[in-house]
Amino acid sequence: MKATLGIIGGSGVYDLAELTRVRELDITSPWGMPSAPPKEGWLGETRVVFMPRHGAGHRLSPSDINYRANIDVLKRAGVTDLVSLSACGSYREDLPPGTFVLVDQFMDRTFRRETSFFGAGCVAHVAFSDPVSPNLVARLANAAVEAGARHVVGGTYVCMEGPQFSTRAESLAYKAMGASVVGMTNMPEAKLAREAEIAYASVAMVTDYDAWRPHEDGVGVAEILEVMRENGAVARRLIASLAAAFPAEHEPCPIGSDRALDFALVTAPEHRDPALLAKLDAVAGRVLG
Ligand SMILES: CSC[C@H]1O[C@H](OP(=O)(O)O)[C@H](O)[C@@H]1O
Ligand SMILES: Nc1ncnc2[nH]cnc12
């Protein structure tokens, strides 16, 4: 299978100026409107499909993003490997603003989002103990070195609903729970990518220390925007390095992200809802035939 690298740009990353031969893809989704039409382009020999998570001009708040439509459209566009770029707050002194955390775990504290493509009429339970693709993380780590990005491999991203930032009590609680960073968008995005059999990894780019530190003002968006601009420039270099060394053929994921549906469907074929099956044509087409 040919590899296509998907990039979801978060706060501060609304396009990838380095893409060549760019064209907007006209893809509709049975799951509704994606944040923006996906853009196809090339970085060297690597086909890239880019989507700004919050839409043009940062129109959508984290709770209003149609994560299902975004992932479905990226699947239809042929994305095999997906990298999320996200701003985040830090819970560790050793992860100061400017650090890129290649997260390997998530905690989901969201409560106002559609979290699955599956449900009544076609129930599926995908494995999610290891939510990111180790291959992609290894490639991102190499790219981070080349791009001169301060980075760490591994970390736990807690996803809060937002859009307000955490209270100090919440911030201290997430830190005590073992979270490394906090953001508002990687859930359910990572879950949906797994259901769609797309290998996923997230670059969590620290912009602030959230609200847990004593004697410090809480987090404010003005400071975040400033750091975000600097992080965004480094992120673009990182993606260019990642693409430069990206394989032409999709590498099978060692933890099976790209075959997540092999044993996941539990609804008996005769009890499946044809209307839902029709909507699953892209996401689950490989196993539904
Ligand atoms: C503008 S700061 C808060 C905002 O930034 C992060 O978004 P993204 O993950 O898309 O970079 C965070 O999750 C909030 O949505
Ligand atoms: N402190 C924070 N909390 C939640 N999302 C964020 N995005 C950037 N900084 C954040």
Side-chain angles (χ1 to χ4, degrees):
M1 190 184 4
K2 291 265 170 267
T4 291
L5 180 60
I7 307 291
I8 296 186
S11 299
V13 188
Y14 306 108
D15 62 21
L16 277 184
E18 298 76 7
L19 290 182
T20 60
R21 294 183 273 153
V22 180
R23 68 182 183 115
E24 211 169 87
L25 299 177
D26 184 14
I27 300 176
T28 55
S29 169
W31 300 95
M33 288 293 285
S35 298
K39 278 191 181 151
E40 179 199 70
W42 295 80
L43 287 170
E45 300 298 303
T46 301
R47 180 172 181 259
V48 176
V49 176
F50 178 80
M51 163 99 59
R53 181 186 283 125
H54 300 273
H58 205 124
R59 230 172 17 90
L60 298 166
S61 103
S63 310
D64 296 327
I65 292 168
N66 187 340
Y67 295 93
R68 292 194 298 191
N70 287 357
I71 295 295
D72 179 69
V73 158
L74 293 173
K75 181 79 182 179
R76 288 175 197 279
V79 169
T80 52
D81 300 85
L82 180 57
V83 172
S84 149
L85 300 173
S86 294
C88 66
S90 165
Y91 290 129
R92 292 191 354 212
E93 294 287 355
D94 63 333
L95 302 177
T99 309
F100 286 17
V101 183
L102 307 181
V103 301
D104 60 359
Q105 283 296 328
F106 296 104
M107 292 189 226
D108 192 354
R109 303 273 304 174
T110 66
F111 50 83
R112 198 158 83 71
R113 304 176 187 191
E114 297 290 352
T115 60
S116 177
F117 289 107
F118 298 91
C122 191
V123 175
H125 301 281
V126 294
F128 203 51
S129 49
D130 298 301
V132 303
S133 158
N135 281 0
L136 266 184
V137 170
R139 289 186 174 280
L140 282 165
N142 289 337
V145 172
E146 275 186 29
R150 182 194 159 99
H151 70 285
V152 297
V153 177
T156 298
Y157 174 116
V158 60
C159 192
M160 59 182 294
E161 185 62 51
Q164 302 82 2
F165 293 115
S166 314
T167 63
R168 288 190 198 280
E170 287 167 333
S171 193
L172 287 163
Y174 296 150
K175 180 173 165 56
M177 279 161 61
S180 319
V181 295
V182 58
M184 304 178 191
T185 61
N186 282 195
M187 289 285 133
E189 189 175 272
K191 289 178 172 171
L192 295 165
R194 176 61 55 86
E195 287 186 346
E197 300 192 318
I198 299 174
Y200 181 90
S202 174
V203 183
M205 305 180 288
V206 176
T207 53
D208 57 272
Y209 280 109
D210 205 43
W212 57 274
R213 274 171 138 201
H215 317 303
E216 204 170 85
D217 288 347
V219 50
V221 87
E223 302 89 293
I224 289 182
L225 292 177
E226 183 64 37
V227 184
M228 240 165 54
R229 265 187 285 279
E230 294 158 21
N231 285 351
V234 182
R236 289 184 167 84
R237 291 207 305 269
L238 178 134
I239 296 301
S241 300
L242 175 71
F246 214 69
E249 291 292 315
H250 168 71
E251 291 174 313
C253 177
I255 59 158
S257 314
D258 43 13
R259 303 193 67 83
L261 296 176
D262 269 355
F263 305 105
L265 300 185
V266 290
T267 306
E270 66 276 18
H271 287 280
R272 291 181 186 163
D273 171 14
L276 178 53
L277 296 186
K279 289 173 77 171
L280 290 167
D281 63 331
V283 160
R286 188 183 69 80
V287 289
L288 290 174

